[in-house]
Every structure is written in C-alpha cells, then in structure tokens.
C-alpha cells in the first residue's frame, strides 16, 4: 500500500481514534488541536479519554513515528494528502447541530490552501457528524477563506459509526465504509487510504479475523450525510420500540427479555438494540435524533416517529423514579445508590448520561444520592455536585434503601446479592434499569427486585 500523509483536525473521541488507527495501518498522521496542553500530553502518549485499546494504539504509533500532534493547521494543510475535519458539532438550543467549529476550520483550510503550491488537490473529509448539505457549506467556507485565490481541493463526507467502548475495533473492522463525493479522484484517494481495512490486509491478533472484507460505499454528499443520521435514529427507534413493548409486558404479565429474544431471532429484525430498560443516552443518539428532527422542521415536515422515539425515551427515566416512589412511598431522606454513571460501559463519557437526570431528579425530591462508577468518578462529581460518588460499589450500597442499576458494567453485573442484601436497609429495593440481573437470584437473597417489562 502507498503511505499517505493524513491530517486530523480535532483530537476528541472520533479524531483521536481515527488518527491512531490510520497510523496503525501504516499511514503518516498528524493530529491538530487548538489546545496546546492537550497536544503536549498526547505527544507524550497520555490519552485523555478512556477507550479500551486506544492508549496502546497511540503508543505504538508514536514509537514507530507514524503519528504526531500539533497546533499548526496551516503547516498541516500544506503537507498532507487527506485532511479530516473531526471537531465537535454540539446541539444548539433548537436541537440543530452547531457548525461553528466546522466553519472556523473550513475557513482556515481555505486560507492555507495556497501554500500547497503544485501539490495534488487536497481531499477535505467531513468526519464530524454534520447536517445534510454541510459538504456544500464547507466548500463555500473554504472559498471564503481563500479570498479569491485559486485553490484546489475536494470535499468528501465520510461519516463515522464508532461505538464508545469498542471504537478501535469498529474502526479496524467496520460493517461498511461510506464515502460521499461526486469526484472519482477523491473517491479513489479514500479507497487507497482505507485499502488495508477494505481488503483486511493489515496484521491482526484476531484468529479467525472478524471480517473477510469490508464494503466500500460511494454515494453523493447528501446521501452520505443522511446515512449517519438515519442509522443512529433507527437504532434509537429500536430501543424505544422495545421499551414500549416492555411497558405493555408489565401490564399483561409477559417478560420482555423472552419477547426480545423471540423477535430478535427473526433475521429481518435482529437481536441487537432490543434491551429494554432506562433507555438511550450518550453523545450520539440524543444529538443525532435531535438534529434529524430539526432538519425535518426546516422543511415544515412533522417527524412523527422520531418525536415518539424521544417521548418514549424520556418516559423511561421517569419510570425509574416512579418505581422507587411506588416501593419507598417517599424519597425524602432515603438513600438511593446509582450503580454505574457513564452512559454505557467501557467509556468514561458522561455526556447525556441517564444517571445525571436521575440523580438530579432524586435530589430534587429529597433523596440522598450516592453513585458508583469504576472509571468516571471525577466527571460524575463535577456534573452532579450534590451526588456523593464513591469508587466501591459496596460502599455505595451500604445503608441504601434502594439501588438502581444504571450502567451494566461487569463490576455491577457481578455484585454478590448476599453481600448486597447484608449492606442495604429495608426495603432493600433493586431497580434493574438494564434488565441484566437474575430476578430469582436477587430475590432469594432477600432483595426486592423491580425490572422493566419483566411481568
């Protein structure tokens, strides 16, 4: 394979994982960030986020001198063949994606392009999750930054489909690679960049290799941008659907875990994202569903299904409080332990974590909230100062009248019910917000079990 010079603007979750994995494949990667302290710590191999395997990949790329970190975007534009924009696009008050970071980078790229001289056109890749039409928007901003100078570039959409907690794996063994462009030259450059992944020709310790080959899909810019939003919106819909079914299961005495297993065996449905419970959170689903609804409103279209998806998800968090109130009667003065605080296991990401809304609601109702998480103690304490956060799950459970399983960490799944029962105060209520515990094992130890849709 040909070793390409690659730039990544933004060393957040997506940017850092993408850059590290491309360096791991053999490309020469320079990651750009405006935060000088962050650049310096990354240059020492200090990874600021918790993501399994990422520190090892970054460290290996540093040792082989395949990755570097800088604050100098103009010099990077001058040097590289492909430049990824991987900056944050947080939701605004109306739910629409805030593109101010993308805009700033695009203008600076335009201002720096003239420095490339006779080099081949720069392939500018939108890796950030951006609304439909953003490819044209970025092109316009690059031209603004160029201020009338003749510059040569292509704008490509290449949405990411990474799951936090398995992002390195998802990058190297993806279900598909999606490229949005009308340029044959740009699509071929991206195919060359991703060739080791497409062909699965890079060395791996997996035996057998998880993938034989990876589909490489080339479409127009708008369709590629929509694929990202549609994928996440559909997965969020699937979760809200099974939660709707769970509510009906509670009414008729059925067990949603059996129902989900039964319907998940249908190849048209599939078993993934059919786990009933508290619902979805995190940095992707809320933001992307909100952005897609915002796009629909721009065109005066009523997104009825997406509106219902959000409504069901909001209801699930309220169900946690309702289950606590039903058994404790009053929450004033009651100690409630939240087990797991990040929005999912194997990450330290607290963005839109269900635990935060639950903790704030319980605090407002007079409960004494104590939280446990194996990796996010600091971020959780900062997010909800009124919640006491501990590093030992049994310390959180000591004297608690109720416990809520919020995040299905292995450390939570594997708690000893007998020890838990000995520590908790009556009524020793366990609200299983992820349906990961065995009700019979929990109740035979004297705990009061309440799940979601389990009859």
């Amino acid at each position: 394979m040909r070793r390409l010079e690659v730039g990544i603007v933004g060393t957040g979750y997506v940017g850092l994982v993408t850059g590290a994995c491309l360096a791991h494949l053999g490309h020469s990667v320079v990651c750009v960030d405006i935060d000088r302290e962050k650049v310096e710590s990354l240059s020492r191999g200090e990874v600021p986020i918790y993501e399994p395997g990422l520190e090892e990949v970054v460290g290996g790329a540093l040792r082989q001198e395949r990755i570097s970190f800088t604050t100098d975007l103009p010099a990077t534009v001058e040097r590289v063949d492909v430049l990824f924009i991987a900056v944050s696009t947080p939701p605004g008050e109306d739910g629409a994606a805030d593109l101010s970071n993308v805009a700033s980078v695009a203008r600076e790229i335009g201002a720096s392009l003239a420095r490339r001289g006779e080099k081949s056109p720069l392939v500018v890749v939108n890796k950030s999750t951006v609304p439909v039409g953003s490819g044209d928007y970025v092109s316009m901003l690059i031209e603004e930054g160029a201020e009338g100078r003749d510059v040569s570039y292509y704008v490509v959409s290449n949405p990411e489909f990474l799951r936090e907690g398995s992002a390195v794996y998802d990058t190297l063994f993806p279900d598909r690679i999606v490229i949005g462009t009308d340029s044959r030259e740009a699509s071929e450059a991206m195919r060359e960049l991703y060739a080791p992944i497409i062909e699965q020709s890079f060395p791996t310790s997996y035996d057998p290799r998880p993938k034989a080959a990876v589909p490489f899909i080339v479409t127009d810019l708008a369709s590629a941008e929509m694929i990202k939003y549609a994928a996440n919106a559909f997965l969020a819909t699937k979760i809200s659907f099974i939660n709707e079914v769970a509510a009906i299961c509670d009414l008729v005495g059925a067990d949603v875990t059996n129902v989900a297993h039964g319907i998940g065996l249908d190849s048209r449905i599939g078993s993934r994202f059919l786990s009933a419970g508290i619902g979805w959170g995190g940095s992707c689903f809320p933001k992307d569903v909100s952005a897609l609804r915002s796009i629909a409103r721009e065109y005066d279209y009523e997104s009825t299904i997406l509106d219902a998806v959000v409504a069901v998800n909001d209801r699930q968090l309220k169900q946690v409080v309702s289950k606590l109130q039903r058994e404790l009667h009053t929450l004033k003065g009651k100690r409630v332990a939240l087990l797991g605080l990040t929005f999912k296991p194997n990450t330290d990401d607290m963005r839109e974590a269900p635990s935060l809304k639950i903790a704030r609601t319980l605090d407002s109702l007079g409960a004494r909230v104590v939280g446990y998480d194996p990796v996010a103690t600091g971020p959780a304490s900062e997010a909800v100062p009124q919640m006491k956060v501990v590093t030992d799950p049994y310390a959180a459970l000591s004297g608690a009248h109720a416990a809520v399983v919020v995040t299905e960490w292995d450390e939570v799944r594997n708690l000893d019910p007998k020890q838990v029962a000995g520590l908790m105060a009556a009524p020793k209520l366990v609200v299983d917000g992820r349906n990961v515990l065995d009700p019979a094992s929990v109740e035979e130890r004297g705990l009061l079990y309440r799940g979601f849709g389990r009859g």
Side-chain angles (χ1 to χ4, degrees):
M1 78 168 220
R2 183 166 73 95
R3 185 182 189 186
L4 296 178
E5 299 282 338
V6 182
I8 310 281
V9 186
T11 58
Y13 190 84
V14 172
L16 185 56
V17 171
T18 301
C21 288
L22 288 174
H24 176 72
L25 295 176
H27 298 298
S28 177
V29 178
V30 55
C31 295
V32 184
D33 201 284
I34 60 173
D35 187 335
R36 186 171 297 278
E37 283 189 18
K38 188 176 185 183
V39 164
E40 291 174 354
S41 67
L42 283 167
S43 298
R44 296 190 296 268
E46 299 168 4
V47 176
I49 57 176
Y50 179 85
E51 177 62 36
L54 181 58
E55 188 171 348
E56 291 78 6
V57 175
V58 171
L62 280 169
R63 286 191 296 274
Q64 296 177 50
E65 298 184 346
R66 289 178 179 169
I67 195 169
S68 60
F69 301 90
T70 183
T71 58
D72 193 344
L73 178 56
T76 303
V77 171
E78 182 179 1
R79 164 188 166 185
V80 301
D81 305 300
V82 179
L83 182 68
F84 286 84
I85 299 176
V87 294
S88 62
T89 55
E93 291 184 4
D94 62 351
D98 179 353
L99 298 182
S100 58
N101 292 327
V102 173
S104 177
V105 171
R107 289 193 182 96
E108 191 168 356
I109 291 171
S112 306
L113 273 172
R115 299 175 54 169
R116 290 176 61 82
E118 298 300 316
K119 281 179 71 74
S120 59
L122 177 65
V123 180
V124 179
V125 185
N126 271 341
K127 196 69 172 174
S128 301
T129 300
V130 291
V132 177
S134 295
D136 294 335
Y137 178 62
V138 167
S139 293
M140 179 190 75
L141 294 170
I142 289 175
E143 293 293 339
E144 283 184 9
E147 296 181 335
R149 287 168 293 187
D150 186 23
V151 292
S152 184
Y153 64 94
Y154 303 110
V155 173
V156 171
S157 174
N158 175 214
E160 55 85 14
F161 302 100
L162 307 182
R163 297 168 297 168
E164 294 193 36
S166 59
V168 172
Y169 179 95
D170 290 345
T171 301
L172 298 175
F173 306 103
D175 292 327
R176 74 288 201 198
I177 295 171
V178 175
I179 302 296
T181 180
D182 295 324
S183 164
R184 183 180 62 81
E185 291 82 359
S187 67
E188 286 306 310
M190 296 302 292
R191 183 184 292 274
E192 188 173 19
L193 177 73
Y194 283 122
I197 294 176
I198 297 167
E199 300 164 0
Q200 286 293 291
S201 58
F202 61 91
T204 177
S205 59
Y206 284 93
D207 186 19
R209 185 183 289 269
K211 304 275 184 181
V214 172
F216 183 77
I217 301 169
V218 180
T219 184
D220 58 279
L221 271 167
S223 295
E225 291 163 347
M226 181 58 85
I227 286 169
K228 168 64 176 179
Y229 281 118
N232 275 352
F234 182 79
L235 296 176
T237 300
K238 204 172 178 184
I239 296 170
S240 285
F241 172 80
I242 200 63
N243 279 330
E244 188 91 296
V245 171
I248 300 172
C249 285
D250 273 334
L251 297 173
V252 301
D255 188 333
V256 73
T257 56
N258 293 331
V259 174
H261 178 66
I263 66 174
L265 293 174
D266 188 324
S267 61
R268 298 168 300 174
I269 297 173
S271 60
R272 299 174 68 184
F273 292 87
L274 285 180
S275 297
I278 287 174
W280 40 267
S283 62
C284 292
F285 285 4
K287 178 170 70 75
D288 292 353
V289 173
S290 178
L292 194 52
R293 293 169 74 200
S294 176
I295 292 169
R297 287 194 297 271
E298 284 184 26
Y299 293 87
D300 197 28
Y301 179 80
E302 186 177 352
S303 55
T304 308
I305 292 177
L306 296 180
D307 294 345
V309 166
V310 174
V312 170
N313 199 61
D314 290 342
R315 184 186 65 195
Q316 293 308 109
L317 291 179
K318 295 175 184 176
Q319 285 291 315
V320 173
V321 177
S322 295
K323 290 176 185 292
L324 291 169
Q325 290 175 320
R326 194 173 301 127
E327 305 300 337
L328 300 180
H329 305 299
T330 180
L331 293 174
K332 290 181 174 62
K334 297 295 172 60
R335 180 181 169 102
V336 180
L338 302 184
L339 303 177
L341 302 174
T342 55
F343 87 95
K344 64 178 290 187
N346 298 320
T347 179
D348 59 355
D349 197 343
M350 294 294 300
R351 289 176 292 178
E352 296 295 324
S355 63
L356 302 182
K357 293 181 181 178
I358 295 171
R360 292 176 185 131
T361 300
L362 293 177
D363 179 74
S364 71
L365 293 172
R368 293 176 295 154
V369 186
V370 57
Y372 158 75
D373 194 273
V375 301
T377 304
S381 298
E382 292 175 10
V384 187
Q386 59 270 40
M387 175 174 62
K388 180 182 179 182
V389 181
V390 297
T391 56
D392 179 0
Y394 293 108
L397 290 160
S398 181
H401 301 87
V404 182
V405 175
V406 183
T407 311
E408 61 275 35
W409 286 95
D410 286 342
E411 291 87 342
V412 174
R413 290 174 182 265
N414 298 327
L415 288 171
D416 178 6
K418 182 178 180 181
Q419 188 174 352
V420 170
L423 290 169
M424 292 183 70
K428 305 184 180 185
L429 170 65
V430 176
V431 176
D432 188 357
R434 299 299 178 184
N435 284 356
V436 295
L437 305 179
D438 176 32
S441 297
V442 170
E443 293 197 325
E444 72 181 9
R445 295 298 185 182
L447 297 164
L448 179 62
Y449 178 89
R450 292 292 180 267
F452 282 75
R454 306 193 79 170

